[in-house]
Structure formats: structure tokens, C-alpha cells
Amino acid sequence: CGQRGLVIVHRSLHIRLYSELRKLEKAKANGIWARIIKNAFAPVFAEPADYVVGNPPWVFWNSLPGDYREDVRVAMTERYKLMAARASTMTRLGSAGKDLSSLFVYVSLDKYVKPAGTLAFVVPQTLFQSTAGDEFRRFELPQGVRFKVRMVHDWVKVSPFVAAKNKTATFVAVKGEPTVYPLPYIKHRPVGRFDRESAELAEVMA
């Protein structure tokens, strides 16, 4: 439709956004939206960093909305090879139990970590020990860039999250080096009870 058509589309989107914000303002529910929008767009302009730390969403691929699911499918199968080509259909992605956290690990290392930089994430422990994590454990980004998993901490027995029953792990990786086996895999077990909502770090470590 050319540049004029693009301008009309952008104007339409701006009008819709403005209308929604006006509704929220009248309902006195608008105070938080500026921060949400700022936060949503922040990664687009972020420069690669020496250290990236986070807890990505643990969402199964087949739980995503349809349009977003197709975008994720392309990223998982074509760019990051987190799903075998022979199993790249939507049905097979869902049945294989692919978790969105694996894609967040690869995208973050690819886009937001400098060469020789470090990433530390909270992820499902199954990425390291299930067949659904087979492609994840290639530890290789586009253009053949490797990343080295330095260590994995297994928190399954500790069950750190009150509301979630997911198996939990944390790991540290360095961009630009190959993973070397054997690598440290540390299993944590609780020796006493503690309040997972409010305990101080010293109490948890004890």
C-alpha cells in the first residue's frame, strides 16, 4: 500500500491507543500504563551487557495465543533450532512440551549478552534432564556461536515457589565458549522448614 498506507495504519493504531488510555484515565486506572509501556519497549533499545540475570516466563508453547504462537514457532524452529525440523508443526510443538523459557534463554544470549558475557536464569529443571530439552542442550546460537553452561543448581527438592509446582533450576552460562562435560550439577535439599514467602536469605541458606 506504500508509504501513505503505512502512515494511515500507524495513525489508526495511535487513535486506538489514545482511546484506550482515555478510557483508563476516566476509570482512574491509567497510572501504571506509562511504566508498563516503557518496560515493554526497553529491551528493543537495550545494548548488550556483560551480565544478564532473570526469571523468564515458564509457559508451554501450546498455551500461547494463536498469532503469537506462530511467531514463536518460527523463532524456535528456524532461527534457534529449538525444535527439530521434522517436528516443526504446531501440533508437534505442543505435544513435545516445549517451554517458552528455553527460547528466552537463547534470545537473551543472542541479543542482550556481550561476547564473553554471563547469563544467569531461573528455568525449569526439565530443560537439563528431559527429552523435551534435547535441542536446548545443543548450547549453540545462530552463526555457530556456542555458550558454556558453567553450572546448574537443582532446586527441585527445595520447591522454592509456593504457588507453582514446577521443577526449578538455576544456571550460569558464558557466551562464546563451548560447554565442557562433566559440568557441576548441584542438588539442593532442605534440612528444615522455612517460610517461602517471607524468609530472610540467611534463614534459607541455613
Side-chain angles (χ1 to χ4, degrees):
C1 59
Q3 186 174 0
R4 176 172 172 76
L6 191 61
V7 169
I8 291 172
V9 170
H10 283 177
R11 184 178 299 156
S12 172
L13 292 174
H14 287 148
I15 291 170
R16 283 170 53 194
L17 176 61
Y18 176 78
S19 299
E20 288 299 319
L21 291 176
R22 279 292 298 264
K23 289 178 186 176
L24 291 166
E25 184 70 34
K26 288 182 178 180
K28 300 189 182 301
N30 190 33
I32 196 173
W33 289 101
R35 291 195 297 277
I36 289 177
I37 293 170
K38 180 180 178 181
N39 192 51
F41 282 98
V44 177
F45 304 104
E47 294 292 329
D50 293 311
Y51 298 95
V52 172
V53 180
N55 181 6
W58 300 12
V59 181
F60 284 119
W61 180 87
N62 53 348
S63 299
L64 299 172
D67 291 345
Y68 187 56
R69 190 164 55 195
E70 173 59 17
D71 291 339
V72 169
R73 183 193 68 80
V74 172
M76 290 188 78
T77 60
E78 296 180 17
R79 179 164 179 80
Y80 294 106
K81 306 295 189 287
L82 290 169
M83 189 68 180
R86 66 182 182 279
S88 63
T89 66
M90 290 194 182
T91 302
R92 288 173 178 168
L93 265 169
S95 63
K98 294 298 179 179
D99 190 287
L100 205 59
S101 63
S102 62
L103 181 61
F104 269 75
V105 170
Y106 271 66
V107 171
S108 297
L109 280 160
D110 186 23
K111 303 293 186 182
Y112 305 125
V113 179
K114 289 181 178 180
T118 300
L119 175 139
F121 266 13
V122 183
V123 295
Q125 181 265 356
T126 50
L127 287 181
F128 295 100
Q129 289 194 344
S130 72
T131 55
D134 284 349
E135 289 83 12
F136 172 83
R137 294 192 295 273
R138 291 184 307 107
F139 305 137
E140 184 175 330
L141 303 172
Q143 286 78 53
V145 176
R146 303 289 187 89
F147 63 92
K148 178 180 182 178
V149 176
R150 291 179 56 191
M151 66 184 70
V152 179
H153 289 263
D154 182 326
W155 299 95
V156 173
K157 294 292 186 183
V158 177
S159 188
F161 299 113
V162 175
K165 300 301 181 184
N166 304 51
K167 297 178 178 180
T168 304
T170 54
F171 80 104
V172 178
V174 177
K175 183 176 181 179
E177 300 180 27
T179 295
V180 178
Y181 294 96
L183 61 85
Y185 188 93
I186 302 157
K187 288 190 173 185
H188 297 273
R189 294 182 176 85
V191 295
R193 298 178 65 84
F194 63 94
D195 188 336
R196 284 158 173 75
E197 294 281 5
S198 61
E200 297 290 337
L201 178 61
E203 181 184 353
V204 175
M205 294 303 292

